[in-house]
């Protein structure tokens, strides 16, 4: 092992574990050193026997509460163990049936390196009187006891420590070290948190040459993936791939033979001068193919008079008069296989959806009790689905739930098990990436009608692709653009400012407090106090911190980042701090507002869902369970589950998509400048239903409104236009996450 100079070594026996997380092996323990000192050691290491001597490498730290501690970075069993230590170990509960006398015999006969000798040849145990059965039992138990420790030490030797080491052991088991040494580049695809740079560092430690084909191919794939994740692209150009890969490789290389290998391995697709990861390519192609099949289906059109009569009937029944634009949108959706309805806030998208459902049911003689058997309403997030349920008074689910996502992440509905419903309505479609779009369309039957609803001017999906925009730009299906502000929204300054931002015409004269919008031009030194004052004022008016008030911020880290603002809000408004659970740098208390950060099919909770911590309990071993209430359901979280959640007094604008809040507070400071774009500002503003508070640097608001997000690299529109020749080749189904 190569030692870092400032690191120190200590030897001793681990006498007590104060805390040990079985899932990631984070431990707090007491070490009795060779000179009989008791030292608190912390870090990621497995449970080991107290009978053997261990050598630890790490650094001394001074904890503000617990004083001096030794942070373990690496450990190994010391080569020399005491006679009594070995006897105690071999006669411990680890080895049933082996008493002190037998253990003494073994150590006396085999010496201080008894363990090594037994592992090398188990038959040496026969020399001390153990029969074949006892020998095999002892040997297998010794292997089991030594394996985890040995693998962990092997990984530490490669400078793979802490949570990463434990993640590898969880993924690969006892083969972890062997797999890492053989091909560290497979970790990029198989272990979250390990990218090319980290894998390349391991490669150098194990002595794999820098021109190894696996390294070069990994750099190519990683470059394309980085472009996709960073920019939302479904492909990268040759120049982008080679320039980016060369930054990592730093050697002269002819990429052509490696590109050919990756294509043959079906991990890469080269089309013209575009380089696709295989999952992105086949997902995009799959969406285009299914959409073209749906719109090419020849179905008889309804007469306009029949549709008009049905619309008038619904108007009388529910007491509404649709505008000409709303009528036209309903007619188009009823008579087309795929219809896109797009518009900003206040343009009546939800009213059209409701009207369409009523008219479709009337024309097809579907009674209210059976509408859910024929109509399926979905949205990308739980919050968006909940909003649709409340507005429409109709069953609406997330797309993942609608597709029947199981505990293993596999969808029940696909090309072999189609939706039975014949009217499929998808809301907030701007959030749908190309992978989800592919899964969705695979499950839609050929005789179904599809209505895609969304605001194309909002932020695009977090994942790759421009599904909604490409669908509109392609001209392949019917599109209804809603430009007219609904009369109820005409007096809203929120809507006016949102439209100004969207059209890039926002001026200083627009940024004045009026009706439902309040502008605070304020120095950053006063901004924290202002945010607290706004929240307190809203609470005094009877609004809920959990349900009604939402602070939206572009970034997580730094001054005025999400983490900092969450901390100050929590400190101010959580009264009872007697019981808490700490995860990372965050404390969670009963009453805390939290957000789910990833889909969890087992819990039936989705990315973006907002909940509240309803209880914290500890078992007899001080192991905590946190209960979080999501829409009336109390779900239990272990401490290891807390990677899935974060405080939610402040959330990102991306996470807010699909949701609306009575009160939205958006601070704007120079820290955010690299992220400020018109789409970001527009999306944040349009989350506000009743009151909008824009605070901070007014100049930056103007600046943001005049900056557009770079156009994503996507070819879905071209495929729908059939500008790209469809080779119609048969391909095996590829899971989008096989190579990601």
């Amino acid at each position: 092992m190569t030692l870092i100079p400032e690191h120190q070594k200590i030897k001793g026996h681990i006498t007590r574990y104060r805390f040990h997380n079985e899932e990631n092996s984070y431990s707090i323990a007491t070490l009795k050193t060779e000179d009989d000192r008791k030292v608190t050691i912390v870090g990621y290491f497995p449970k080991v026997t107290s009978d053997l001597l261990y050598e630890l490498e790490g650094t001394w730290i001074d904890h503000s509460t617990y004083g001096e501690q030794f942070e373990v970075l690496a450990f190994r069993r010391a080569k020399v163990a005491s006679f009594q230590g070995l006897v105690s170990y071999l006669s411990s509960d680890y080895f049933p049936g082996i008493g002190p006398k037998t253990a003494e015999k073994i150590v006396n006969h085999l010496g201080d390196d008894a363990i090594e000798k037994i592992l090398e040849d188990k038959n040496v145990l026969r020399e001390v009187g153990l029969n074949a059965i006892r020998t095999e039992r002892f040997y297998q138990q010794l292997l089991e006891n030594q394996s985890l420790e040995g693998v962990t030490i092997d990984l530490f030797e490669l400078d793979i420590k802490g949570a990463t080491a434990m993640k590898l052991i969880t993924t690969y088991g006892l083969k972890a070290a062997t797999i890492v040494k053989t091909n560290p580049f497979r970790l990029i695809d198989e272990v979250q948190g390990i990218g090319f740079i980290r894998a390349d560092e391991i490669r150098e430690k194990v002595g794999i040459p820098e021109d190894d084909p696996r390294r070069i191919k990994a750099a190519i794939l990683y470059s394309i993936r980085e472009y996709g994740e960073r920019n939302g692209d479904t492909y990268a150009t040759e120049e982008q791939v080679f320039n980016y890969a060369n930054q990592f490789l730093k050697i002269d290389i002819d990429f052509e033979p490696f590109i050919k290998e990756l294509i043959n391995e079906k991990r890469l697709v080269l089309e013209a001068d575009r380089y696709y990861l295989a999952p992105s390519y086949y997902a995009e192609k799959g969406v285009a193919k299914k959409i073209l099949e749906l719109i090419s289906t020849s179905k008889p059109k309804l007469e306009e008079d029949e549709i008009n009569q049905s619309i008038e009937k619904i108007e009388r029944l529910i007491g509404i008069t649709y505008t000409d634009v709303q009528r036209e949108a309903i007619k188009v959706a009823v008579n087309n296989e795929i219809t896109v309805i797009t518009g900003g806030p206040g343009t009546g998208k939800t009213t059209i959806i409701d009207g369409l459902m009523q008219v479709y049911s009337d024309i097809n003689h579907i009674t209210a009790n059976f509408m859910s058997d024929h109509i399926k309403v979905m949205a990308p997030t739980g919050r968006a689905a909940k909003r649709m349920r409340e507005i429409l008074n109709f069953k609406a689910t997330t797309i993942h739930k609608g597709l029947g996502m199981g505990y293993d992440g596999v969808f029940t509905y696909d090309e072999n098990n189609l939706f039975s419903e014949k009217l499929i309505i998808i809301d907030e479609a701007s959030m749908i990436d190309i992978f989800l779009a592919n899964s969705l369309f695979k499950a839609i039957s050929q005789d179904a009608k599809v209505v895609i609803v969304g605001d194309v001017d909002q932020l695009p999906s977090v994942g790759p692709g421009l599904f909604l925009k490409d669908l509109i730009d392609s001209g392949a299906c019917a599109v209804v653009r809603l430009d007219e502000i609904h009369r109820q929204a005409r007096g809203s300054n929120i809507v006016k400012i949102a439209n100004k931002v969207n059209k890039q015409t926002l001026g200083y004269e627009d940024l004045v407090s009026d009706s439902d919008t309040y502008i605070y031009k304020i120095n950053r030194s006063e901004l924290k106090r202002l945010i607290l004052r706004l929240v307190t004022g809203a609470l005094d008016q009877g609004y809920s911190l959990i349900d009604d008030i939402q602070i939206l911020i572009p970034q997580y880290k730094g001054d005025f980042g999400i983490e900092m603002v969450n901390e100050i809000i929590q400190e101010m408004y959580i009264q009872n701090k007697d019981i808490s659970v700490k995860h990372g740098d965050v404390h969670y208390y009963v009453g805390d507002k939290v957000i789910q950060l990833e889909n969890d099919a087992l819990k039936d909770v989705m990315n973006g869902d907002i909940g509240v911590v309803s209880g914290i309990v500890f078992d007899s071993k001080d192991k905590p369970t946190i209960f979080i209430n999501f829409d009336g359901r109390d779900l239990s979280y272990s401490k290891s589950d807390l990677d899935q959640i974060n405080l939610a007094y402040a959330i990102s604008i991306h996470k807010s998509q699909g949701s609306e809040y009575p009160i939205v507070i958006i601070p704007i400071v120079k820290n955010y400048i690299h992220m400020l774009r018109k789409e970001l500002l527009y999306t944040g503003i349009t989350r506000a239903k009743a009151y909008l508070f824009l605070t901070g640097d007014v100049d930056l608001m103007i600046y943001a409104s005049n900056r557009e997000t770079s156009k994503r690299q996507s070819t879905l529109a071209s495929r729908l236009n059939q500008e790209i020749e469809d080779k119609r080749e048969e391909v095996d189904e590829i899971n989008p996450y096989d190579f990601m």
Side-chain angles (χ1 to χ4, degrees):
M1 177 186 292
T2 302
L3 296 178
I4 301 172
E6 62 266 31
H7 290 175
Q8 297 182 35
K9 288 182 181 179
I10 58 174
K11 285 184 182 179
H13 296 268
I14 299 177
T15 59
R16 180 191 170 205
Y17 280 82
R18 300 180 192 175
F19 174 81
H20 180 74
N21 186 319
E22 294 290 348
E23 297 190 21
N24 64 14
S25 285
Y26 182 79
S27 304
I28 304 172
T30 300
L31 180 87
K32 187 177 180 181
T33 66
E34 290 182 300
D35 57 358
D36 285 337
R37 287 186 303 134
K38 287 186 177 180
V39 175
T40 298
I41 60 174
V42 299
Y44 295 89
F45 47 90
K47 271 196 170 182
V48 296
T49 176
S50 61
D51 299 309
L52 297 182
L53 185 70
Y54 285 88
E55 182 180 83
L56 311 179
E57 180 190 338
T59 57
W60 291 99
I61 58 175
D62 188 16
H63 195 280
S64 58
T65 304
Y66 301 109
E68 190 178 55
Q69 298 177 335
F70 189 81
E71 187 175 28
V72 178
L73 299 176
F75 79 102
R76 63 166 65 84
R77 185 162 51 85
K79 295 284 184 186
V80 179
S82 70
F83 175 87
Q84 194 53 52
L86 274 174
V87 170
S88 297
Y89 173 57
L90 296 178
S91 60
S92 69
D93 293 340
Y94 287 117
F95 305 99
I98 303 295
K101 288 185 179 179
T102 303
E104 282 187 18
K105 267 189 192 180
I106 294 171
V107 179
N108 279 326
H109 184 71
L110 299 177
D112 291 340
D113 56 350
I115 292 173
E116 286 76 13
K117 287 177 179 176
I118 297 167
L119 291 171
E120 187 178 332
D121 181 10
K122 63 186 175 184
N123 290 314
V124 296
L125 291 169
R126 303 292 297 274
E127 300 171 9
V128 294
L130 270 66
N131 61 31
I133 294 173
R134 290 181 73 194
T135 293
E136 185 63 29
R137 186 188 300 148
F138 184 97
Y139 176 70
Q140 292 300 329
Q141 191 60 58
L142 184 63
L143 276 180
E144 185 178 333
N145 294 344
Q146 296 292 303
S147 293
L148 177 60
E149 180 185 328
V151 171
T152 307
I153 290 170
D154 283 347
L155 292 174
F156 279 17
E157 295 275 352
L158 298 173
D159 201 28
I160 302 172
K161 306 164 185 172
T164 303
M166 297 308 145
K167 193 181 293 182
L168 288 171
I169 292 170
T170 302
T171 304
Y172 301 120
L174 300 179
K175 297 179 180 178
T178 303
I179 287 171
V180 170
K181 291 176 182 178
T182 304
N183 182 14
F185 297 106
R186 67 181 286 184
L187 308 184
I188 300 170
D189 297 326
E190 297 172 357
V191 181
Q192 189 177 8
I194 294 184
F196 180 87
I197 294 173
R198 185 73 182 96
D200 204 37
E201 289 172 350
I202 299 169
R203 183 272 312 166
E204 192 170 6
K205 284 184 180 294
V206 300
I208 296 174
E210 63 181 4
D211 61 351
D212 188 286
R214 295 168 301 180
R215 179 177 186 250
I216 297 164
K217 290 193 288 186
I220 294 169
L221 294 174
Y222 187 69
S223 298
I224 302 170
R225 185 179 298 120
E226 279 290 287
Y227 266 95
E229 292 179 355
R230 183 188 299 173
N231 306 316
D233 300 335
T234 58
Y235 69 87
T237 65
E238 181 178 284
E239 182 182 9
Q240 289 167 341
V241 174
F242 292 178
N243 286 346
Y244 208 62
N246 275 320
Q247 291 179 33
F248 299 121
L249 295 171
K250 297 177 181 175
I251 56 173
D252 291 329
I253 197 76
D254 177 11
F255 285 103
E256 188 174 346
F258 303 103
I259 294 290
K260 287 180 179 178
E261 282 186 39
L262 287 168
I263 292 171
N264 291 334
E265 294 167 6
K266 294 188 176 180
R267 302 178 72 189
L268 181 69
V269 176
L270 175 58
E271 185 180 68
D273 61 346
R274 299 181 297 273
Y275 291 78
Y276 301 80
L277 293 178
S280 300
Y281 176 78
Y282 291 117
E284 192 179 86
K285 221 176 149 185
V287 173
K289 182 175 180 238
K290 186 60 182 279
I291 288 174
L292 291 171
E293 287 174 356
L294 286 170
I295 61 178
S296 65
T297 304
S298 179
K299 301 189 187 84
K301 302 288 186 182
L302 295 172
E303 295 292 332
E304 187 171 352
D305 286 348
E306 184 181 356
I307 304 174
N308 282 331
Q309 287 173 16
S310 182
I311 291 174
E312 290 166 5
K313 178 181 176 181
I314 298 303
E315 286 180 324
R316 288 193 301 272
L317 282 172
I318 63 178
I320 193 173
T321 302
Y322 296 113
T323 66
D324 291 343
V325 174
Q326 289 170 338
R327 278 174 165 263
E328 187 59 29
I330 294 170
K331 289 179 189 178
V332 170
V334 166
N335 251 345
N336 283 276
E337 281 63 48
I338 300 178
T339 303
V340 176
I341 299 172
T342 183
T347 55
K349 296 189 294 293
T350 309
T351 301
I352 292 169
I353 292 173
D354 185 51
L356 168 64
M357 291 167 60
Q358 301 294 337
V359 170
Y360 178 86
S361 298
D362 180 62
I363 289 172
N364 291 281
H365 310 292
I366 303 167
T367 62
N369 291 336
F370 293 95
M371 283 176 67
S372 61
D373 294 334
H374 298 267
I375 302 172
K376 197 174 190 72
V377 180
M378 293 178 284
T381 68
R383 296 281 288 186
K386 181 185 178 183
R387 184 170 58 84
M388 293 296 286
R389 285 196 300 272
E390 293 171 347
I391 295 172
L392 300 173
N393 193 27
F394 186 84
K395 179 184 177 184
T397 69
T398 64
I399 297 174
H400 289 82
K401 190 170 183 177
L403 286 166
M405 187 173 75
Y407 303 145
D408 54 1
V410 176
F411 294 131
T412 302
Y413 293 97
D414 55 20
E415 65 271 36
N416 299 312
N417 184 28
L418 302 172
F419 293 145
S420 60
E421 297 89 345
K422 301 306 180 203
L423 176 61
I424 311 296
I425 299 172
I426 312 296
D427 195 26
E428 297 289 349
S430 63
M431 302 174 66
I432 300 175
D433 66 25
I434 197 65
F435 297 130
L436 188 57
N438 187 37
S439 297
L440 175 63
F441 274 92
K442 275 194 287 189
I444 296 173
S445 65
Q446 202 64 31
D447 56 347
K449 293 185 183 294
V450 183
V451 180
I452 310 290
V453 184
D455 186 349
V456 74
D457 296 313
Q458 284 188 30
L459 285 166
S461 60
V462 175
L466 273 173
F467 168 69
L468 180 61
K469 188 174 188 308
D470 281 349
L471 198 55
I472 293 169
D473 291 348
S474 72
C477 55
V479 177
V480 179
R481 298 177 184 271
L482 306 175
D483 299 318
E484 184 182 351
I485 305 299
H486 209 260
R487 62 181 176 85
Q488 291 95 328
R490 282 176 195 161
S492 169
N493 202 41
I494 297 171
V495 173
K496 290 177 184 175
I497 288 178
N499 284 327
K500 290 276 188 177
V501 170
N502 192 36
K503 294 175 182 177
Q504 297 183 292
T505 58
L506 184 71
Y508 292 100
E509 68 278 4
D510 301 306
L511 293 174
V512 294
S513 298
D514 183 22
S515 67
D516 52 8
T517 304
Y518 297 87
I519 312 296
Y520 293 89
K521 185 177 182 179
I522 192 168
N523 295 328
R524 58 185 296 134
S525 60
E526 298 294 318
L527 191 52
K528 292 178 188 177
R529 275 195 288 263
L530 173 63
I531 292 172
L532 289 173
R533 197 168 78 239
L534 292 174
V535 172
T536 301
L539 292 173
D540 290 343
Q541 292 293 317
Y543 289 98
S544 164
L545 189 57
I546 304 298
D547 299 319
D548 301 327
I549 307 165
Q550 190 59 65
I551 303 168
L552 301 181
I553 295 176
Q555 65 184 31
Y556 281 88
K557 301 292 184 181
D559 200 16
F560 294 104
I562 290 168
E563 294 176 357
M564 187 214 75
V565 174
N566 273 326
E567 188 177 330
I568 64 170
I569 298 293
Q570 182 192 57
E571 178 63 28
M572 179 64 71
Y573 297 105
I574 294 295
Q575 301 300 315
N576 188 352
K577 298 185 175 70
D578 294 338
I579 301 174
S580 71
V581 173
K582 187 180 181 185
H583 183 70
D585 295 327
V586 181
H587 287 270
Y588 293 98
Y589 305 96
V590 174
D592 266 328
K593 181 179 182 178
V594 296
I595 184 170
Q596 181 76 15
L597 300 176
E598 58 188 64
N599 295 331
D600 189 326
L602 188 62
K603 291 186 175 71
D604 190 21
V605 61
M606 296 294 154
N607 186 351
D609 286 353
I610 300 288
V612 59
V613 178
S614 55
I616 299 173
V617 297
F618 293 85
D619 64 14
S620 58
K621 297 180 180 178
D622 282 338
K623 186 178 180 180
T625 299
I626 300 171
F627 293 93
I628 301 176
N629 189 284
F630 290 96
D631 295 328
R633 298 183 303 125
D634 274 324
L635 306 178
S636 63
Y637 286 70
S638 67
K639 192 169 181 182
S640 61
D641 292 331
L642 296 185
D643 282 336
Q644 297 183 20
I645 67 166
N646 196 23
L647 293 174
Y649 305 105
I651 63 174
S652 72
I653 294 176
H654 279 90
K655 290 290 186 187
S656 74
Q657 283 186 269
S659 302
E660 290 182 339
Y661 314 93
I663 296 174
V664 167
I665 302 169
I666 305 177
I668 304 289
V669 296
K670 285 185 179 177
N671 301 51
Y672 312 154
I673 195 165
H674 64 289
M675 298 186 70
L676 292 177
R677 300 287 191 277
K678 84 152 188 174
E679 293 89 349
L680 187 86
L681 189 58
Y682 173 80
T683 302
I685 290 170
T686 56
R687 300 309 91 202
K689 285 198 301 185
Y691 296 102
L692 170 69
F693 297 90
L694 291 171
T695 66
D697 194 328
V698 172
D699 292 334
L700 281 177
M701 298 176 199
I702 304 293
Y703 169 83
S705 70
N706 286 295
R707 293 184 75 204
E708 287 189 89
T709 303
S710 301
K711 176 76 165 66
R712 291 186 171 186
Q713 295 177 164
S714 165
T715 41
L716 177 60
S718 299
R719 295 187 195 283
L720 291 171
N721 284 325
Q722 298 181 302
E723 293 173 4
I724 297 175
E725 183 183 355
D726 188 352
K727 299 173 185 176
R728 302 286 179 187
E729 75 257 37
E730 294 293 323
V731 297
D732 295 331
E733 185 61 36
I734 296 179
N735 188 318
Y737 303 101
D738 283 348
F739 308 109
M740 298 190 68

